[in-house]
Amino acid sequence: MKTLFSTLLVLVAMVSCNCQKATTSQSNLTSNETMKQTQEIPVLEYEALTRGSYHKITIENNKVMVILGRGVKPIAFDITSEDLVNLAELYSKVDKEGLQNLKAPTEKRFYDGAAIAHFRVIEGDKTYESCAFYGGFPPAEIKEIVDKIIEVSEKK
């Protein structure tokens, strides 16, 4: 009877250990998928400036950093996973090689009445920068991602 009980106890212990391993493996997969998503998005920057103002938004490593003036300390906060997924989807539509060839929809930036804005993608040691455009009116090809970056920066 003791042998049967000992064998049964060892069997239950082994089965419960396998259940824990399976649960741990599943949670590792989920965190690996999230990490993979974040690694797919390079550093994204939006910058708008005039003689009197400066506004820069940087999205990097699941964080948003906002600078609202020259010499002003940056505000940093975490980006939500939902926004991160949306940005990854929008980024997949961006032709980073063609950013510099985009045409701005307005020419208001040519005089002092409007902020000059740029959108940048930084991957490793390469930087892809859009043409200059009127702040708030990006070229149609990058409008969705620029609008999303601005929206994410205003959530704090």
Side-chain angles (χ1 to χ4, degrees):
M1 187 69 177
K2 287 183 180 180
T3 308
L4 180 63
F5 181 71
S6 298
T7 306
L8 187 60
L9 185 63
V10 168
L11 183 63
V12 168
M14 291 173 75
V15 169
S16 68
C17 286
N18 283 338
C19 288
Q20 284 180 340
K21 285 181 184 177
T23 303
T24 304
S25 297
Q26 287 173 352
S27 67
N28 282 345
L29 282 176
T30 305
S31 74
N32 285 342
E33 288 172 8
T34 304
M35 286 180 64
K36 184 179 178 187
Q37 282 180 337
T38 60
Q39 291 173 353
E40 290 176 7
I41 301 176
V43 177
L44 302 176
E45 284 186 354
Y46 171 79
E47 182 178 45
L49 56 114
T50 64
R51 286 190 298 174
S53 70
Y54 181 75
H55 187 191
K56 183 175 181 180
I57 305 163
T58 305
I59 297 178
E60 180 178 15
N61 297 330
N62 300 340
K63 294 215 179 280
V64 179
M65 185 173 64
V66 181
I67 301 173
L68 296 173
R70 291 180 181 92
V72 176
K73 187 175 180 180
I75 302 165
F77 55 94
D78 292 332
I79 189 170
T80 65
S81 58
E82 181 182 324
D83 286 335
L84 196 59
V85 169
N86 288 340
L87 281 168
E89 182 181 316
L90 293 171
Y91 173 71
S92 69
K93 299 175 187 177
V94 172
D95 174 21
K96 61 185 177 228
E97 297 289 337
L99 281 178
Q100 64 188 9
N101 300 324
L102 297 178
K103 175 134 175 62
T106 69
E107 295 182 352
K108 292 181 179 181
R109 69 194 182 283
F110 289 152
Y111 58 89
D112 250 358
I116 298 172
H118 294 275
F119 169 68
R120 289 184 200 90
V121 175
I122 303 168
E123 285 185 335
D125 60 348
K126 286 194 138 199
T127 300
Y128 304 93
E129 185 170 344
S130 71
C131 61
F133 56 89
Y134 171 50
F137 295 94
E141 297 85 350
I142 59 172
K143 181 171 179 27
E144 286 184 280
I145 194 164
V146 168
D147 289 348
K148 185 64 178 177
I149 289 170
I150 293 169
E151 176 190 321
V152 166
S153 75
E154 293 171 347
K155 288 189 175 184
K156 184 63 179 173

